Amino acid sequence: MTLDPASAPSLYPALLYRDAHAAIRQLTTAFGFKKEALYESEDGTVLHAELSHGNGRVMLGSKGRGGAFDAAMADAGPAAVYVVVEDTDAHCARAAAAGAEILIPPTDQDYGSRDYLARDAEGNVWSFGTYLPGAAT
């Protein structure tokens, strides 16, 4: 995926995982992300990875590897990330079939979205739906 700087998102969630390799597997298998970049240390620790979904990306790495970001995130709780999908029901079915924990099944919302909530293996909450932030309603 090549991003045009003029149309690239300007916001990228960044998450740290105890087992970043397992997180990458779950996010690609269950939630349909595509691995775009993976940088590892000599011992195989994930230093930095980028996964894309549509024109958005999430960055992730391994907890406990040191550095200022790792220290700042040490006591941080789980994060919540919202991802726009075209077919909420099909996306949820894929996630459930891959073993993702579904917190709320696909539901029509008062503001016009159809979305669902899932939790990844390390407690982060992922919301997938048809609502497009910033689009005219």
Side-chain angles (χ1 to χ4, degrees):
M1 169 188 263
T2 302
L3 292 176
D4 173 7
S7 63
S10 62
L11 194 68
Y12 298 87
L15 306 170
L16 294 181
Y17 288 90
R18 287 183 300 276
D19 187 343
H21 285 290
I24 291 167
R25 283 190 300 277
Q26 182 181 38
L27 293 172
T28 56
T29 301
F31 299 142
F33 281 77
K34 179 181 175 190
K35 183 171 44 174
E36 298 290 350
L38 176 62
Y39 303 96
E40 300 174 294
S41 66
E42 289 183 13
D43 69 359
T45 299
V46 176
L47 301 174
H48 177 81
E50 295 178 19
L51 307 179
S52 66
H53 193 285
N55 74 340
R57 287 188 183 212
V58 62
M59 300 184 299
L60 64 95
S62 298
K63 286 185 177 183
R65 61 180 184 84
F69 187 72
D70 189 49
M73 294 290 290
D75 293 325
V81 180
Y82 176 76
V83 180
V84 177
V85 297
E86 288 186 26
D87 185 337
T88 304
D89 294 86
H91 195 275
C92 183
R94 172 189 178 150
E101 178 185 1
I102 306 302
L103 301 173
I104 300 174
T107 305
D108 291 326
Q109 303 299 329
D110 292 340
Y111 50 88
S113 181
R114 182 161 179 79
D115 53 36
Y116 78 96
L117 288 178
R119 186 185 324 270
D120 71 24
E122 293 198 18
N124 298 298
V125 175
W126 292 82
S127 179
F128 298 92
T130 57
Y131 176 73
L132 183 60
T137 57

